[in-house]
Amino acid sequence: MSSGLVLAGLGLAAVGFGGRYLARYGRVAQQTLKKQLDALPQTGAFSKYYKGGFDPKMSKREAGLVLGVSPAASKAKIKEAHKRIMLLNHPDRGGSPFLAAKINEAKDYLDNARPGSS
């Protein structure tokens, strides 16, 4: 019975010392952690969406990002990606005319940028 009381006393002492430590250094640790998290770049590197607007002139990289294909993708992949995206963003189905124009521009750019295309 006395060993149970000793263990309970040691447990309470450990909780007390732990609480005192947190009360003293918890705020400092919280402020340090907050500073470190604020210092991290907020680029959205972990997002699957591209954070940025459209370039004034379509580039090969941007065309690939718009269609979700590699800029060196085959003509069939470009066509399939264009069809899939246009089904979702067509203005007749409530999509944005601006986005539809950019999607079409990206497809045309990649089709015309391919060597051997007419």
Side-chain angles (χ1 to χ4, degrees), residues 81-104:
H82 176 263
K83 181 179 178 180
R84 176 178 40 87
I85 294 172
M86 280 304 291
L87 285 174
L88 297 171
N89 292 297
H90 199 278
D92 291 346
R93 293 179 171 249
S96 165
F98 179 72
L99 286 179
K102 282 295 187 180
I103 293 166
N104 286 329

Side-chain angles (χ1 to χ4, degrees), residues 21-33:
Y21 180 82
L22 283 176
R24 283 187 180 174
Y25 302 109
R27 288 194 180 111
V28 175
Q30 180 184 8
Q31 290 171 350
T32 305
L33 182 62

